[in-house]
Amino acid sequence: MVDLPDAPASERTTPPVPAQRASFDALDEEIDLGEYLAILLEYKWFLLAVILIAGLGGGLYAFLATPIYKADALLQVEQNFGGGLTALAALKPMLEGDEADPVTTELELLQSRMVLGQVVDRLKLDLYAEPMYVPLIGAAIARHYTGEGVSLPWLGAETYAWGGEEITLDALDTPPALLGEDLTLVAGEAGRFTLFDPDEQRLLEGQVGERATGGGVSLFISRLKARPGTHFILRRDSRITAIDELLEQLSAQERTRGSSIIEISLLGPQPAQLTQILDEILQTYVRQNVERRSAQSENTLAFLETQLPLLKDQLDTAEAAYNTYRLQEGSVDLTSETQSVLKSIVEFDAEILKLQQERDDLRQRYTPAHPLLKALDAKLGRLRTGREKLDAQVSKLPITQQHILGLARDVEVNTRLYAGLLTTAQELRVARAGTVGNVRIVDVAVALDEPVKPRKALVLAVALLLGLVVGLGLVFLRRQLQVTVDDPDQIEHRLGLPVYASIPHSKREVAIARVLKRHRGDEGQLLAIVDPEDDAVESLRSLRTTLHFALMDADNGVLLITGSSPGLGKSFISKNLAVVLAQSGKKVAIVDADLRKGLLHQGFGLSREQGVSEYVSGVARLEEILKATVLPNLMAITTGQRPPNPSELLMHLRFEELLQQLNKLFDIVIVDAPPVLAVTDAAIVGRMTGATLLVARAGNHPMRELEQTIKRLAQAGVQVKGFVFNDLDVNRLRYRYGYKGYVYRYSYKKS
């Protein structure tokens, strides 16, 4: 047994007792911001890559997306309608009906098919004509083309438009079967073109500036600017489809409640066309508003014009009867009492007739239950009652007076009524000529200079934010799904074995391994020699001290270093631990027992030949296989020639004899063995050694793998003393678990 210096109490590492483990578990359940920060630092490049990809996607979308512009205008709705002639105020009940909320009504009318349909017809919005672009990117490339003329085709795609193409479609008549279908127009030489149906069957050929007809299709193109062979898409939509598309782009709402100001906006890709369309909508709407207002006067005037001839005939008849009676009876004068009664009767009859005419006019628009008609009926009832009282007075007069009174009454009533209707008709004619609507344009249509969407800065910001959210989600999801061990505390908690040392990641060792892999290290390179101040080497010095506990109860000074699987760095630990032990004055021998893939000789700059295989086979003696290294008290034994039966060779008594001889000659013997789960070699060698250390690498094993490794060795009678935790990310460890994670750096500097 080899005696090593006692380690300071502060450096001793023993398996945690159950009480300690419970306290650790309680701490693990706490939310630790340091752990989250450590995870983010560990995956920082992955997170940055996701954010960058999201940002590039957002930028690509902002570049490819078609800019949408906005044109807006303002309308004012007058709450109270004034006709402009105060003399017509008495006609207001006949000229206006019940209107609830004028703004709501006008909003509905503004967006009605009655208005938008006229706009579609006048501006031919049911016609569509655009160049054919390469999917996804073609329209964006053409939009950013700033050269003169037509752009040359990219990558030989001559049928697509690449910038500068123009077409003006003035008319397109199609049969019902082709309504809404895309037709393909192919530009030719000297303004010629050919039109194909959706099945690529030729419909017609034509010339720009001339109407072309064929295949049931008729069209007129006034302008065509394109390379010969360029394809265009033509289509005629149904009227209702064009109206619906226009309605989707149109927005109208009251700016503030009760202001009677309507804000109208229109969205689209072409600012000039937006202004034209919105102006046409405003003009059409205002025109129909005036026509709607004057229509009431038209209806009343039409009714009066049918009544005037009838009243003229009644007046002529009454005058003739009155004159005839006076000629027959001689001059008959009315007494003052009779004249008073006549005046009252005339006024009653005129008023009753006037109200009756007004009722007939309103009856054309309202039902008998309407409040206006009910009010007129009540007034007519009162007038008829008063008229009956006058008839009772007339019945008391002499017969001659009664008869002349009746004739005079007819003449007077018809004269007054006819004159009143003539005046009313004339006023209505004036009102019709001077009718104005209750809406007016406050601000004409103006398109904004900058597109309203996509907002490139906002799109980019949202994309970056989305990339951050997705990246964080993927990072933490990956951490949740990851079952590998990345913390030495996990080994101590779950397996109850001590971790004698945590070896931090060494960039210098990565460079050394790269050189050895390229076979450019003939003289050998070891981290403990070329960079003794490296943090990994300092951790190995700590391991050198704590080896005292690993070998305290051992039968010999032979230390087996192995791992669960390849690529853990067990050879790195073995070689550099041997160096730091030798530097402390110990006589050390290192044996490469990985007879299959052992490369320990490369680090020392030695050859593979004359090693373990030759000794066990009996073709070489111990002094022939012991090879000197750069350190005088460090000897190495390589694998020798690769044998066909490594396991059987290691089970040979001569291999056990080799270890026994080395144990007598050296203070400590380090055996570098193959992975436990890959082959049985480590289990065979482990029975011959005094202590066994397992190398675990951060982020490379699930806990079950380590448990299986310990179980496999235990079944072979090998007891694992502890672990060496390799390739620890010290930058991450610095932020995790508060006081539990720490890294000390302390080194000498030359003055």
Side-chain angles (χ1 to χ4, degrees):
M1 177 172 176
V2 178
D3 293 330
L4 294 176
D6 291 342
S10 60
E11 294 184 355
R12 295 175 186 173
T13 305
T14 58
V17 298
Q20 291 176 320
R21 190 174 305 169
S23 64
F24 288 151
D25 293 340
L27 287 173
D28 287 341
E29 295 177 357
E30 298 178 359
I31 297 177
D32 196 333
L33 296 180
E35 171 67 8
Y36 293 148
L37 180 59
I39 293 174
L40 294 181
L41 289 175
E42 181 180 1
Y43 292 96
K44 59 181 179 295
W45 298 117
F46 172 79
L47 187 60
L48 289 175
V50 173
I51 295 175
L52 180 60
I53 292 173
L56 291 175
L60 184 62
Y61 170 78
F63 175 79
L64 296 178
T66 302
I68 301 299
Y69 294 86
K70 177 182 178 181
D72 54 23
L74 290 181
L75 281 175
Q76 180 186 14
V77 179
E78 296 180 358
Q79 298 286 351
N80 297 317
F81 171 71
L85 294 176
T86 57
L88 299 182
L91 298 176
K92 187 174 181 180
M94 292 191 293
L95 299 179
E96 291 187 343
D98 279 348
E99 293 186 359
D101 183 3
V103 176
T104 303
T105 302
E106 299 305 328
L107 282 173
E108 295 298 328
L109 290 172
L110 180 60
Q111 301 175 85
S112 66
R113 293 192 183 99
M114 175 184 66
V115 173
L116 300 184
Q118 297 181 45
V119 175
V120 168
D121 295 338
R122 289 194 182 96
L123 299 183
K124 301 177 181 177
L125 299 182
D126 54 344
L127 301 183
Y128 173 86
E130 290 291 340
M132 182 183 293
Y133 300 110
V134 172
L136 297 179
I137 63 172
I141 294 175
R143 188 168 55 251
H144 289 85
Y145 175 71
T146 57
E148 296 182 359
V150 179
S151 173
L152 295 176
W154 289 29
L155 304 176
E158 298 182 353
T159 60
Y160 293 105
W162 295 98
E165 294 81 5
E166 296 179 9
I167 186 171
T168 303
L169 178 62
D170 295 299
L172 176 60
D173 298 322
T174 63
L178 294 179
L179 198 64
E181 298 290 337
D182 289 343
L183 307 179
T184 303
L185 182 142
V186 180
E189 299 285 351
R192 301 289 300 176
F193 59 82
T194 306
L195 187 67
F196 297 88
D197 66 7
D199 297 326
E200 299 184 357
Q201 299 296 319
R202 187 172 63 180
L203 294 173
L204 57 85
E205 293 184 358
Q207 176 72 39
V208 174
E210 299 177 1
R211 178 170 285 274
T213 304
V217 176
S218 176
L219 80 161
F220 184 86
I221 295 177
S222 60
R223 178 176 174 79
L224 179 61
K225 178 183 177 183
R227 287 175 286 98
T230 303
H231 288 198
F232 292 81
I233 300 299
L234 308 185
R235 184 178 66 247
R236 181 185 182 92
D237 293 322
S238 64
R239 188 172 186 267
I240 188 64
T241 300
I243 293 174
D244 290 342
E245 290 180 355
L246 179 58
L247 186 58
E248 289 179 0
Q249 301 170 355
L250 182 67
S251 173
Q253 60 183 0
E254 191 174 9
R255 171 168 281 189
T256 56
R257 187 171 181 82
S259 65
S260 299
I261 299 295
I262 297 177
E263 183 177 10
I264 310 167
S265 60
L266 188 65
L267 301 178
Q270 301 178 1
Q273 186 184 38
L274 288 179
T275 304
Q276 181 186 15
I277 294 174
L278 191 53
D279 274 336
E280 185 62 33
I281 292 175
L282 295 177
Q283 296 300 330
T284 302
Y285 168 67
V286 171
R287 184 166 53 250
Q288 69 81 29
N289 181 267
V290 174
E291 292 173 352
R292 179 165 54 91
R293 289 288 171 175
S294 64
Q296 297 177 352
S297 299
E298 288 280 357
N299 295 336
T300 304
L301 182 60
F303 172 75
L304 293 181
E305 288 179 345
T306 61
Q307 297 297 316
L308 282 174
L310 298 177
L311 286 175
K312 185 65 171 66
D313 292 341
Q314 293 178 10
L315 177 59
D316 293 341
T317 302
E319 288 178 346
Y322 180 71
N323 292 331
T324 301
Y325 183 77
R326 295 193 62 175
L327 289 175
Q328 292 176 356
E329 299 296 331
S331 178
V332 179
D333 295 327
L334 297 176
T335 63
S336 58
E337 181 182 359
T338 304
Q339 289 179 352
S340 177
V341 173
L342 174 62
K343 182 178 180 182
S344 297
I345 291 174
V346 168
E347 290 177 354
F348 269 91
D349 287 348
E351 186 67 21
I352 289 173
L353 186 57
K354 179 180 178 182
L355 290 179
Q356 185 62 48
Q357 291 175 344
E358 184 176 340
R359 187 183 186 282
D360 293 340
D361 179 52
L362 292 177
R363 186 64 183 83
Q364 298 177 9
R365 291 177 289 164
Y366 304 110
T367 63
H370 195 277
L372 286 178
L373 287 173
K374 287 184 176 182
L376 282 178
D377 290 340
K379 190 174 183 180
L380 283 171
R382 291 192 297 271
L383 290 175
R384 290 190 178 104
T385 301
R387 180 67 172 78
E388 290 174 358
K389 293 179 180 180
L390 290 176
D391 287 341
Q393 294 181 18
V394 172
S395 63
K396 298 177 182 179
L397 296 176
I399 297 300
T400 304
Q401 290 291 324
Q402 291 183 27
H403 196 62
I404 193 67
L405 178 62
L407 294 174
R409 179 203 62 196
D410 292 340
V411 172
E412 186 68 23
V413 169
N414 286 309
T415 300
R416 181 179 295 186
L417 185 59
Y418 181 70
L421 288 181
L422 281 176
T423 302
T424 301
Q426 184 60 33
E427 289 177 343
L428 286 173
R429 292 187 183 96
V430 175
R432 181 183 60 181
T435 298
V436 294
N438 68 328
V439 296
R440 67 187 183 95
I441 300 175
V442 178
D443 289 338
V444 297
V446 175
L448 302 180
D449 295 333
E450 297 295 329
V452 294
K453 57 183 180 180
R455 298 179 180 177
K456 297 182 179 180
L458 180 61
V459 168
L460 186 58
V462 171
L464 293 175
L465 180 61
L466 183 62
L468 176 61
V469 173
V470 172
L472 290 174
L474 292 176
V475 166
F476 286 103
L477 177 62
R478 182 176 177 181
R479 290 295 302 175
Q480 290 296 323
L481 297 177
Q482 184 177 354
V483 294
T484 56
V485 179
D486 57 0
D487 184 358
D489 286 345
Q490 294 174 320
I491 295 177
E492 293 184 343
H493 296 168
R494 289 286 299 274
L495 303 179
L497 291 174
V499 176
Y500 286 104
S502 295
I503 312 300
H505 176 78
S506 173
K507 295 181 179 179
R508 184 65 183 272
E509 173 60 23
V510 173
I512 292 174
R514 189 179 299 115
V515 171
L516 294 177
K517 188 175 182 180
R518 295 174 181 174
H519 304 287
R520 292 187 299 178
D522 296 336
E523 297 181 358
Q525 294 189 45
L526 293 171
L527 180 65
I529 295 176
V530 300
D531 192 0
E533 299 299 324
D534 191 272
D535 291 338
V537 178
E538 188 61 36
S539 297
L540 288 172
R541 293 191 183 101
S542 176
L543 175 62
R544 176 187 64 190
T545 304
T546 56
L547 277 178
H548 170 77
F549 299 100
L551 299 174
M552 182 178 295
D553 300 327
D555 296 333
N556 55 57
V558 181
L559 176 66
L560 174 66
I561 296 180
T562 184
S564 59
S565 57
L568 306 181
K570 59 180 181 57
S571 296
F572 160 73
I573 300 295
S574 301
K575 292 182 293 185
N576 288 277
L577 177 60
V579 171
V580 296
L581 284 170
Q583 289 174 341
S584 67
K586 298 293 181 181
K587 292 180 63 178
V588 182
I590 182 170
V591 179
D592 191 352
D594 188 354
L595 303 184
R596 291 174 171 84
K597 297 182 179 180
L599 298 175
L600 187 142
H601 58 281
Q602 290 184 353
F604 292 99
L606 304 174
S607 62
R608 180 190 299 274
E609 289 72 16
Q610 291 295 100
V612 174
S613 298
E614 285 76 13
Y615 180 85
V616 176
S617 302
V619 298
R621 298 187 304 276
L622 177 61
E623 57 270 18
E624 294 176 344
I625 64 172
L626 279 173
K627 299 178 181 178
T629 65
V630 293
L631 296 177
N633 53 344
L634 174 60
M635 303 296 287
I637 299 178
T638 61
T639 61
Q641 295 297 324
R642 289 193 176 99
N645 53 348
S647 298
E648 288 76 6
L649 204 63
L650 294 175
M651 294 176 65
H652 200 280
L653 291 177
R654 283 185 62 82
F655 182 76
E656 185 176 1
E657 178 186 337
L658 172 64
L659 295 182
Q660 292 174 354
Q661 293 185 30
L662 292 175
N663 184 46
K664 295 177 182 179
L665 296 174
F666 296 90
D667 296 327
I668 187 168
V669 178
I670 298 175
V671 180
D672 181 12
V676 175
L677 299 181
V679 292
T680 61
D681 298 5
I684 296 172
V685 178
R687 291 195 297 267
M688 309 173 191
T689 61
T692 299
L693 291 183
L694 289 180
V695 177
R697 188 169 186 173
N700 273 258
H701 334 263
M703 186 62 69
R704 292 287 299 172
E705 180 180 309
L706 298 180
E707 293 175 346
Q708 187 66 24
T709 302
I710 296 174
K711 182 178 179 181
R712 182 77 60 84
L713 290 174
Q715 290 173 347
V718 179
Q719 181 181 3
V720 177
K721 291 292 185 178
F723 281 85
V724 177
F725 200 76
N726 189 29
D727 203 27
L728 183 65
D729 186 353
V730 295
N731 291 321
R732 180 178 178 223
L733 191 65
R734 187 178 295 111
Y735 294 98
R736 84 183 288 190
Y737 297 129
Y739 66 87
K740 291 170 61 180
Y742 58 87
V743 173
Y744 289 128
R745 283 190 173 93
Y746 186 83
S747 60
Y748 294 99
K749 293 184 179 179
K750 295 181 180 180
S751 58

